[in-house]
Amino acid sequence: MIRGVDMGERGYGRVNDEVIGRLVEVLGERNVKADIVERYVYSTDASLFSSLPDVVVTPENTSQVVDVVRIASEKRIPVTPRGGGTGLCGGAVPLYGGIVVDLSKMDRILEVDLDNFCVTVEAGITPERLNRELAKHGFFFPPSPGSKKMCTVGGMIATNAGGMHAVRYGVTRNFVLGLKLVIPPGDVVSLGGKVLKRCLGYDLIQLVVGSEGTLGIVTEATLRILPLPEKSAVVVAYFKDVSTAAKAVNAVLRKVIPSAIEVLDKWSIEAVNRYVPSLNLPRAEAALYFEVEGSEQEVERQIRVIVDACRSHGGETEWTSDSKEKERLLAGREIVGGAIMNIDRGRVRVYEAEDVCVPIAQLPRFVEEAHSISERYGIPVCIYGHAGDGNCHSGIMIDPKSREEWEKMRMMASEIYELAVKLGGNISGEHGIGLLRAKYMAGIHGQALHIMKKIKEAFDPQGILNPGKMGFT
Amino acid sequence: MIRGVDMGERGYGRVNDEVIGRLVEVLGERNVKADIVERYVYSTDASLFSSLPDVVVTPENTSQVVDVVRIASEKRIPVTPRGGGTGLCGGAVPLYGGIVVDLSKMDRILEVDLDNFCVTVEAGITPERLNRELAKHGFFFPPSPGSKKMCTVGGMIATNAGGMHAVRYGVTRNFVLGLKLVIPPGDVVSLGGKVLKRCLGYDLIQLVVGSEGTLGIVTEATLRILPLPEKSAVVVAYFKDVSTAAKAVNAVLRKVIPSAIEVLDKWSIEAVNRYVPSLNLPRAEAALYFEVEGSEQEVERQIRVIVDACRSHGGETEWTSDSKEKERLLAGREIVGGAIMNIDRGRVRVYEAEDVCVPIAQLPRFVEEAHSISERYGIPVCIYGHAGDGNCHSGIMIDPKSREEWEKMRMMASEIYELAVKLGGNISGEHGIGLLRAKYMAGIHGQALHIMKKIKEAFDPQGILNPGKMGFT
């Protein structure tokens, strides 16, 4: 954990009474918090990192965000934007102190435009609430991260969030049509709009998506939406080894693209069974969870394709389109995160090497070799995730009181990253770099890191936006 | 037309005998052409622009491209990459002379990886040949520009090419998983790979897609591919006005996403009928062409949805899944480009304002107001294009011998661009900026243009890659 980094080491300006006074002037007292309790609350996200901000602001509109960035620019004070605080890599941790900009008060739906199949929202809305509103019109916003009840659309844009439905619908970047972006020294740049295609010079929207708040603060977004499917169903299959499960996935993808293809390894299945024994999942080496969506006929056809593919690869298969039954069948996948947390009261899950992505055909090798690493260190690793796009979530479980296990965990994480890269994969499919994976950036990108640095300078020459992240900001 | 730009005005180095000698040394005589005939051939693309290169090279591998860029960097000589030369905006025209790098000899398929649903190719392959090879395995690469027989995958990446199937499958950027990019002063940067998701800092792949050869030379690409659909069908419908046609499109898109939704306006229909009278299309204000793909059942269902939507909006509707009949039904859309060229022997089509994109619900207003502009100037404009994503191709027909009509055409083009922007649209959906639309960039992007300039400098500090394009390079 990183604590008490000296704000001064990069020559950043300090948040003094004058700065606080000016923030209060533009935002009102209710939107400026500098007491120690608030600062503690905002010192961390869902990661292990922690660093105190000097002040937290909760702007209510874009113009207030502009004011904050203007004040910060004048004094060269770090500004760290924050959505739901659900990030696992420390992306919203204010490493050099300064101002945390919590965008959660900016959560309005500004326009639902069904004629143009898009919606314009403020950055602080959660995807779940957005989808609740859209459902009233028969539409939805497909990207669906595990944290959908708490994370924000702004945070999803910052990390190019994926989730279970990426295999069919794509990730957040595929749905962003327009952005309102606040950049230093306090300007608003409007990018894109309601248009589905554009070829207008460098695509700055695509550059901002996934930039983790280091290029600007997204305050509004226009998002593509789709009509809700008529029907959906779930197929679950249990396999004797991960390799045949992966072959079944390949066979399915040659015929249909389900809206989700999720996998649990044997340890994840074990964790689920210990956590909720009544689920009583079969003891298998791998469980696959498929979701399919479409017209009634199409759903039936997809079920047939999937069941055939799983059975012909030896999978023990169940399916349903009944909504209660769907919940029961999917329960294993839904609760696996919590189950892993509770597998052993003496152990906690450490979010490290928790989001590698490999070419989908390499999934079995990844699981097998990650299990070997786990055995070698004597520390349990549960693997689950998005089999349809090779994105594996590894739950490393350690005794938090053991210094030795922390050390082992770090070595294991390095090995898991190396394994993913060796298999042609990468170190993060959807969670991002933040602080957690910053040290790997130079090795991964080589010369391209220099280009990223220059891009950062183009947007933020003073280096005030979310400094210290990604290994080059 | 731009001719005879003085190479010296930006202080670029000259291609002298020493440079030619070094190029011959690394590429071999057969790959270096400096005679005037070859230089003329490479002085233009499918646009109205023309400017002589000093030398044309045809590298056979990435290492030769590196050598060319290294030599060019040393002497600060402009380097203009070229694919199939089918660009309509002058993107491949060597405005400041120098070296044209024709990548068409690099046209190999390096790997078809069906287990990972991707293919790795050299940049010079045409999408048609790629799809012919992929079809043998039951797969395809979905982006399908009108120039698919002649353009190259490298050119498609440079312009983020769209085409008829973007409404369902997306544009080129949605299919690029990995790139090999040569940047000054002669380095190879490998981006991405076979992985479907990544969250690893700024997404340089997404930045390079659509950058029109100004950030680097793409020599290889790893592309996502999909299984060929089981079946396909075509529905054509004729409407009494564009507005009801657009409503039918909206009604369709609320239930299914066809693989193409194309539109012809009344003048395009007229052009087709004059060009091939035997087609005898009904005299309508708008024709819609839908293509649908999927399983047999799904194709049937989509036909039903589309036919119902068109009929309930007063459309006269025909459909078929017979492959010969499909060709006949689609013929109007397929030949419209040629038909417009031949509508009047005394007129030629000028590619200006030919690719605006508007929010899809604004299509009727765009067509109506563009027709008013046409009437006001007394110059015919045929409008056709991708109704499913609001991307309109306007064919402006002028008498090329009339200086007055050239002048009018320029004013009309400006008005059409302004109209698109007024309707919330943009000036290019899929063809790009190049030289043609360079002068509009400052007005469109404002401050963001400054950021683009800095990004350009990050990749190419000497400004040798395709200079003079996009209004800021």
Side-chain angles (χ1 to χ4, degrees):
Chain A
M1 299 198 211
I2 295 172
R3 286 186 191 275
V5 169
D6 176 16
M7 271 200 319
E9 77 182 21
R10 290 185 172 202
Y12 285 120
R14 297 211 155 252
V15 176
N16 53 24
D17 288 348
E18 183 215 335
V19 170
I20 303 263
R22 288 186 60 195
L23 290 170
V24 168
E25 212 169 280
V26 295
L27 295 161
E29 291 228 5
R30 71 178 177 286
N31 292 322
V32 181
K33 294 158 186 169
D35 59 289
I36 190 66
V37 176
E38 290 285 354
R39 288 167 60 208
Y40 259 113
V41 168
Y42 284 92
S43 67
T44 189
D45 49 13
S47 72
L48 289 170
F49 299 92
S50 165
S51 173
L52 277 182
D54 296 296
V55 59
V56 177
V57 297
T58 51
E60 294 175 12
N61 53 54
T62 297
S63 139
Q64 290 185 342
V65 176
V66 168
D67 287 332
V68 171
V69 171
R70 188 167 293 135
I71 293 166
S73 271
E74 274 174 37
K75 308 282 183 180
R76 201 168 170 256
I77 294 167
V79 176
T80 301
R82 180 186 176 98
T86 58
L88 293 165
C89 320
V93 171
L95 188 60
Y96 295 98
I99 305 168
V100 163
V101 182
D102 173 358
L103 290 142
S104 59
K105 277 195 187 169
M106 293 179 62
D107 65 349
R108 287 178 304 164
I109 295 174
L110 302 173
E111 189 190 5
V112 179
D113 183 349
L114 302 184
D115 291 335
N116 288 307
F117 297 87
C118 64
V119 61
T120 300
V121 297
E122 289 182 324
I125 192 169
T126 67
E128 185 169 85
R129 186 160 79 77
L130 172 59
N131 274 323
R132 235 171 19 236
E133 293 301 319
L134 290 174
K136 296 176 189 165
H137 305 278
F139 279 78
F140 77 121
F141 169 60
S144 183
S147 54
K148 57 184 176 273
K149 291 180 185 172
M150 296 162 291
C151 74
T152 64
V153 164
M156 290 175 72
I157 291 168
T159 54
N160 186 26
M164 294 227 258
H165 298 148
V167 60
R168 181 178 183 92
Y169 297 107
V171 290
T172 301
R173 74 165 65 257
N174 305 122
F175 291 86
V176 182
L177 301 177
L179 286 183
K180 196 169 269 188
L181 186 75
V182 177
I183 58 170
D187 298 302
V188 179
V189 181
S190 285
L191 301 169
K194 292 181 179 180
V195 185
L196 292 169
K197 279 158 68 182
R198 59 186 182 274
C199 201
L200 304 167
Y202 307 149
D203 198 319
L204 300 184
I205 292 179
Q206 293 296 337
L207 187 59
V208 168
V209 175
S211 65
E212 302 187 14
T214 65
L215 298 181
I217 303 180
V218 172
T219 59
E220 289 179 18
T222 300
L223 306 168
R224 200 177 159 215
I225 56 176
L226 296 178
L228 277 168
E230 231 174 77
K231 216 172 165 181
S232 70
V234 169
V235 184
V236 181
Y238 302 92
F239 292 86
K240 290 216 181 74
D241 57 75
V242 184
S243 174
T244 44
K247 281 181 188 137
V249 169
N250 189 286
V252 168
L253 284 172
R254 286 185 185 218
K255 297 198 169 167
V256 300
I257 303 187
S259 53
I261 309 180
E262 300 289 303
V263 65
L264 303 195
D265 74 348
K266 61 178 170 183
W267 301 118
S268 302
I269 295 170
E270 171 77 16
V272 168
N273 278 335
R274 283 204 211 172
Y275 190 45
V276 183
S278 62
L279 281 175
N280 194 22
L281 305 185
R283 280 179 198 282
E285 285 289 316
L288 289 180
Y289 295 80
F290 298 88
E291 284 186 81
V292 297
E293 295 177 346
S295 64
E296 183 153 0
Q297 283 179 335
E298 186 56 16
V299 164
E300 275 168 27
R301 187 182 76 93
Q302 294 199 22
I303 292 173
R304 265 199 315 278
V305 166
I306 295 168
V307 169
D308 286 353
C310 290
R311 285 193 173 157
S312 70
H313 288 87
E316 185 189 319
T317 309
E318 279 186 273
W319 68 95
T320 186
S321 57
D322 174 83
S323 62
K324 274 230 157 147
E325 268 298 286
K326 275 194 291 187
E327 254 177 55
R328 187 189 63 82
L329 271 189
L330 274 179
R333 173 63 184 92
E334 290 291 339
I335 66 166
V336 66
I340 290 174
M341 292 287 203
N342 288 280
I343 197 169
D344 178 339
R345 286 287 152 103
R347 295 188 169 271
V348 299
R349 177 176 183 184
V350 182
Y351 284 95
E352 245 291 18
E354 88 297 351
D355 181 44
V356 304
C357 199
V358 296
I360 56 172
Q362 299 284 17
L363 197 79
R365 227 177 118 193
F366 174 77
V367 174
E368 188 192 334
E369 296 198 25
H371 284 165
S372 303
I373 293 170
S374 157
E375 273 168 42
R376 187 149 37 79
Y377 283 96
I379 289 183
V381 176
C382 304
I383 299 170
Y384 64 97
H386 315 307
D389 38 49
N391 191 187
C392 306
H393 298 320
S394 317
I396 306 180
M397 311 298 307
I398 65 165
D399 170 1
K401 294 183 297 301
S402 157
R403 185 184 289 265
E404 192 197 337
E405 292 219 342
W406 277 99
E407 195 43 48
K408 279 187 184 173
M409 182 280 293
R410 286 198 184 89
M411 289 190 288
M412 283 175 72
S414 276
E415 287 197 36
I416 290 172
Y417 288 134
E418 275 163 29
L419 169 61
V421 172
K422 183 185 82 180
L423 298 176
N426 63 43
I427 65 168
S428 179
E430 58 183 21
H431 293 171
I433 300 299
L435 295 168
L436 186 62
R437 285 178 266 272
K439 66 177 173 184
Y440 297 101
M441 287 288 279
I444 292 166
H445 291 294
Q447 196 180 2
L449 201 70
H450 173 74
I451 293 172
M452 290 187 198
K453 272 186 208 172
K454 294 276 183 191
I455 291 171
K456 164 72 174 171
E457 284 169 26
F459 283 82
D460 176 23
Q462 292 178 291
I464 60 171
L465 287 173
N466 207 2
K469 305 301 162 68
M470 287 190 175
F472 64 88
T473 70
Chain B
M1 297 194 217
I2 296 171
R3 286 185 191 279
V5 169
D6 176 14
M7 272 201 315
E9 77 183 22
R10 288 187 174 202
Y12 284 120
R14 296 208 155 256
V15 176
N16 54 24
D17 288 349
E18 183 215 334
V19 170
I20 303 263
R22 288 186 59 195
L23 290 171
V24 168
E25 213 169 280
V26 294
L27 296 162
E29 289 227 7
R30 70 179 179 284
N31 291 322
V32 181
K33 296 157 184 170
D35 59 289
I36 189 67
V37 176
E38 289 284 355
R39 289 167 59 209
Y40 258 114
V41 168
Y42 283 92
S43 67
T44 189
D45 49 14
S47 74
L48 290 168
F49 299 92
S50 166
S51 174
L52 277 181
D54 297 295
V55 60
V56 177
V57 296
T58 52
E60 295 174 12
N61 53 54
T62 297
S63 138
Q64 290 185 342
V65 176
V66 168
D67 287 332
V68 171
V69 171
R70 189 166 293 137
I71 293 166
S73 270
E74 275 174 35
K75 308 282 183 181
R76 201 168 170 256
I77 293 167
V79 176
T80 301
R82 181 186 176 99
T86 57
L88 293 165
C89 320
V93 171
L95 188 61
Y96 295 98
I99 305 168
V100 163
V101 182
D102 174 358
L103 290 142
S104 60
K105 277 193 186 171
M106 292 179 62
D107 66 348
R108 287 178 303 164
I109 295 174
L110 301 173
E111 188 190 7
V112 178
D113 182 349
L114 303 185
D115 291 334
N116 288 306
F117 297 87
C118 65
V119 61
T120 301
V121 298
E122 288 182 325
I125 192 169
T126 67
E128 186 170 83
R129 186 160 79 76
L130 172 59
N131 273 323
R132 237 174 15 239
E133 293 300 320
L134 290 174
K136 295 175 190 167
H137 305 279
F139 279 78
F140 77 121
F141 169 60
S144 182
S147 55
K148 56 183 175 274
K149 291 180 187 172
M150 297 163 288
C151 74
T152 64
V153 164
M156 291 174 72
I157 291 168
T159 55
N160 186 24
M164 293 226 259
H165 298 149
V167 60
R168 183 179 182 90
Y169 297 107
V171 291
T172 302
R173 76 164 65 257
N174 305 120
F175 291 87
V176 182
L177 301 178
L179 286 182
K180 197 170 268 188
L181 186 76
V182 178
I183 59 170
D187 297 303
V188 180
V189 181
S190 286
L191 301 169
K194 292 181 178 179
V195 185
L196 292 169
K197 280 158 68 182
R198 59 184 181 276
C199 202
L200 303 167
Y202 307 150
D203 197 319
L204 300 184
I205 291 179
Q206 294 295 338
L207 187 59
V208 168
V209 175
S211 66
E212 301 188 15
T214 65
L215 298 181
I217 303 180
V218 172
T219 60
E220 290 179 17
T222 299
L223 307 168
R224 198 177 161 216
I225 56 176
L226 296 178
L228 277 168
E230 232 174 78
K231 216 172 164 184
S232 69
V234 169
V235 184
V236 181
Y238 301 93
F239 292 84
K240 290 216 180 74
D241 56 75
V242 184
S243 173
T244 44
K247 280 181 188 138
V249 168
N250 189 285
V252 167
L253 284 173
R254 286 183 186 220
K255 295 197 168 168
V256 300
I257 303 187
S259 54
I261 308 179
E262 299 290 305
V263 63
L264 303 194
D265 74 349
K266 62 178 172 184
W267 301 118
S268 301
I269 294 169
E270 172 78 16
V272 167
N273 278 335
R274 282 204 211 172
Y275 189 47
V276 183
S278 64
L279 281 175
N280 195 25
L281 305 185
R283 280 179 197 285
E285 286 289 314
L288 290 180
Y289 295 80
F290 298 87
E291 284 186 80
V292 296
E293 294 177 346
S295 66
E296 184 153 359
Q297 283 179 336
E298 185 56 17
V299 164
E300 274 168 27
R301 186 181 78 93
Q302 294 200 21
I303 292 173
R304 266 198 316 277
V305 166
I306 295 168
V307 169
D308 286 353
C310 290
R311 285 191 173 156
S312 70
H313 288 87
E316 187 188 316
T317 309
E318 278 185 274
W319 68 96
T320 184
S321 57
D322 174 84
S323 63
K324 274 228 155 146
E325 268 297 286
K326 275 194 291 187
E327 255 178 53
R328 186 189 65 81
L329 271 189
L330 274 180
R333 173 61 185 94
E334 290 291 340
I335 66 167
V336 66
I340 290 173
M341 291 289 204
N342 288 279
I343 197 168
D344 178 337
R345 285 287 152 101
R347 293 187 170 273
V348 298
R349 176 178 184 183
V350 183
Y351 284 95
E352 245 291 19
E354 89 297 349
D355 181 43
V356 304
C357 200
V358 295
I360 58 172
Q362 298 285 17
L363 197 81
R365 226 177 119 192
F366 174 78
V367 173
E368 188 191 334
E369 295 196 27
H371 284 164
S372 304
I373 294 170
S374 158
E375 273 167 42
R376 185 148 40 78
Y377 283 96
I379 288 182
V381 176
C382 304
I383 300 169
Y384 63 97
H386 314 307
D389 38 47
N391 190 189
C392 306
H393 298 318
S394 318
I396 306 180
M397 311 298 307
I398 65 165
D399 171 0
K401 295 184 298 298
S402 159
R403 184 184 291 263
E404 193 196 336
E405 292 218 342
W406 277 100
E407 195 42 49
K408 279 187 182 172
M409 182 279 293
R410 286 199 183 90
M411 290 190 288
M412 283 174 72
S414 276
E415 288 197 35
I416 290 171
Y417 288 133
E418 277 163 28
L419 170 61
V421 172
K422 183 184 81 180
L423 298 176
N426 64 42
I427 65 169
S428 180
E430 58 184 19
H431 293 171
I433 301 298
L435 295 168
L436 186 63
R437 285 178 266 271
K439 67 177 172 184
Y440 297 100
M441 287 288 279
I444 292 166
H445 292 293
Q447 196 181 2
L449 200 70
H450 172 74
I451 293 173
M452 291 187 197
K453 270 186 210 174
K454 294 278 184 189
I455 291 171
K456 164 73 173 168
E457 284 168 25
F459 283 81
D460 175 24
Q462 292 177 292
I464 60 171
L465 286 174
N466 207 2
K469 305 303 163 65
M470 286 190 177
F472 64 88
T473 70

